[in-house]
Amino acid sequence: MRPQAPTPRLEVDLEKIRHNAAALVQSLASRNIAVIGVTKATLGCPAVARALVEGGVAGLGDSRMQNLRRLAAGGVDADTTLIRSPMPSQVDLVVAGADTSVNTEIDVLRMLSSAARRAGRTHRVVLMVELGDLREGVMPEDLDEMVRVVIGLPNLLLEGIGTNLACQNGVIPSRLNMDQLSTLVDEVETTTGVGLSRVSGGNSANLPWALGSSDIGRVNELRLGESILLGRQPLDRRPIEGLHTDAFRLIAEVIESKVKPSHPTGAVGRTAFGARHVISGEGNARRLVVAIGRQDVDHEGLVPIGDAAIIGASSDHMILTSPSDDVLVGSEVSFEPDYSALLRAMTSPFVDVVIKPGPRLRCRDRLRSNG
Ligand SMILES: *Cc1c(COP(=O)(O)O)cnc(C)c1O
């Protein structure tokens, strides 16, 4: 058999990621905003994290302790922030494996304080405040009280305040809510007498505000994942000027290529995944079955490179139509993933992650070997 790259595979171009990180670090530096590179979509891939560090990020953030530990085990030397509020069951892990964590619950902070004391360490804390997107965050009117409690807890150091918009309800970071954050920071400093060095304004959705507004107030940090990795604005998916949008490419293999009718035959009910069948086109057309499915990827977040179009997917099969007749069994089809597709492909044990350059760089252990 001819030697072949494994499929499905996710090809990762580290140089493009480094370039994207450096470009965003540079344009935000002109606004005095530091960048935390968020690695969760890559499951804390050390090779990707190193590219972010080379691009000049001030620190790394991930939502899961397993990923932060993977970074440490991979020898990545960077300041780390756990960007999801710690699970009470993990406070000891958090204190051991993250320099800072974001927090919203007094009980968790008390547990972190005890864990830090047990470990003989100081753990740093950023309090997240709710500014309307209704995911994590202390209500603004409760922030003052929370700050007072945290500064009284041994072995915790309050670094600053953060917020997160856009992720749950699509609330757009704007002059209004970002000014509210800055005002809160000023007020808390005045009433408690504590200095807040870190004001973490949000994620990739904050970029239009950060680069476009005349006054960014007290915000001095953004936590960026999608914009660095995919080179796009999350709010409208538009490419960011000067950034690569193709640092990741998903490649899957054709296992069937046949001309078939465009309409199913027989009485039609709901499909395996609940959706109704979508009819595409008339007459006969070439359909490709590709060996990848919902277990590996969010197919709705894939854009095929070339002239094939995705019709749908079940657990292990993805169906495309192809206008050209020369797509044979065994040929490869490539796709550009969006954030959701990237996240799922990275997480699937069936998808090989192929890092370029360098055969020795690995993202994670593979389910199977291809030797
Ligand atoms: C995922 C996440 C980010 C990064 O978001 P992107 O849209 O990928 O930039 C930032 N902050 C928090 C709290 C997150 O959960």
Side-chain angles (χ1 to χ4, degrees):
M1 258 190 52
R2 75 200 150 109
Q4 210 183 349
T7 50
R9 68 181 181 275
L10 188 66
E11 291 182 351
V12 186
D13 187 324
L14 293 181
E15 176 47 33
K16 287 179 178 168
I17 293 171
R18 190 205 57 76
H19 168 92
N20 285 0
L24 287 169
V25 163
Q26 195 183 7
S27 48
L28 287 167
S30 69
R31 322 236 65 188
N32 293 316
I33 295 177
V35 173
I36 300 297
V38 175
T39 53
K40 68 188 181 205
T42 69
L43 274 57
C45 171
V48 170
R50 228 171 270 124
L52 300 179
V53 171
E54 283 167 20
V57 300
L60 296 171
D62 204 291
S63 47
R64 298 176 193 250
M65 282 314 303
Q66 290 94 328
N67 293 348
L68 288 179
R69 278 154 51 130
R70 188 166 299 133
L71 295 178
V76 179
D77 183 25
D79 193 79
T80 57
T81 301
L82 178 66
I83 60 172
R84 184 174 72 180
S85 197
M87 290 184 239
S89 60
Q90 288 194 336
V91 288
D92 290 294
L93 288 178
V94 172
V95 163
D99 297 308
T100 302
S101 60
V102 303
N103 282 271
T104 65
E105 290 284 358
I106 293 278
D107 287 346
V108 175
L109 286 156
R110 289 190 205 285
M111 294 172 73
L112 280 172
S113 169
S114 305
R117 202 169 40 190
R118 279 195 297 276
R121 303 175 75 121
T122 299
H123 183 70
R124 305 192 318 239
V125 167
V126 168
L127 291 178
M128 295 296 271
V129 60
E130 171 63 61
L131 289 182
D133 198 52
L134 301 179
R135 201 177 71 178
E136 74 274 42
V138 182
M139 290 304 285
E141 59 269 28
D142 299 330
L143 189 59
D144 213 79
E145 164 72 12
M146 190 88 156
V147 167
R148 288 175 201 279
V149 174
V150 176
I151 57 185
L153 287 173
N155 298 69
L156 293 189
L157 177 70
L158 180 65
E159 267 193 301
I161 306 289
T163 196
N164 195 71
L165 297 173
C167 286
Q168 183 60 35
N169 281 296
V171 171
I172 298 169
S174 66
R175 181 78 196 249
L176 203 66
N177 47 40
M178 287 295 107
D179 279 357
Q180 195 190 349
L181 179 64
S182 291
T183 303
L184 277 170
V185 171
D186 288 340
E187 282 171 6
V188 164
E189 284 186 340
T190 307
T191 57
T192 64
V194 77
L196 300 170
S197 62
R198 199 166 164 185
V199 183
S200 195
N203 53 52
S204 293
N206 286 64
L207 282 173
W209 163 81
L211 297 171
S213 85
S214 55
D215 181 7
I216 49 138
R218 293 287 307 269
V219 174
N220 61 12
E221 174 186 296
L222 291 180
R223 311 172 303 271
L224 302 182
E226 177 169 3
S227 52
I228 297 178
L229 299 176
L230 297 179
R232 290 179 187 272
Q233 310 271 11
L235 288 172
D236 57 11
R237 307 249 169 259
R238 277 219 303 268
I240 300 170
E241 208 188 310
L243 266 56
H244 298 289
T245 58
D246 58 351
F248 294 88
R249 233 165 38 118
L250 184 67
I251 293 141
E253 191 171 336
V254 176
I255 55 172
E256 183 184 300
S257 173
K258 291 188 194 308
V259 174
K260 292 189 182 182
S262 298
H263 292 251
T265 309
V268 168
R270 298 182 77 77
T271 72
F273 288 90
R276 288 208 155 261
H277 155 78
V278 184
I279 292 166
S280 68
E282 292 293 330
N284 288 347
R286 180 157 297 270
R287 290 167 83 92
L288 309 176
V289 181
V290 170
I292 194 166
R294 292 181 188 232
Q295 193 157 30
D296 313 297
V297 74
D298 175 4
H299 64 286
E300 288 173 5
L302 291 180
V303 177
I305 300 168
D307 53 11
I310 297 172
I311 298 179
S314 51
S315 313
D316 317 297
H317 300 77
M318 188 159 74
I319 314 298
L320 296 91
T321 51
S322 169
S324 41
D325 266 338
D326 55 0
V327 186
L328 305 175
V329 169
S331 56
E332 294 183 340
V333 186
S334 300
F335 307 87
E336 261 187 36
D338 73 1
Y339 200 66
S340 170
L342 173 64
L343 199 62
R344 191 124 36 112
M346 273 283 177
T347 310
S348 170
F350 302 103
V351 177
D352 272 277
V353 180
V354 178
I355 304 279
K356 298 192 300 186
R360 279 181 306 283
L361 288 169
R362 291 267 297 273
C363 248
R364 54 172 165 76
D365 292 328
R366 297 191 298 229
L367 184 70
R368 54 178 166 68
S369 69
N370 276 281

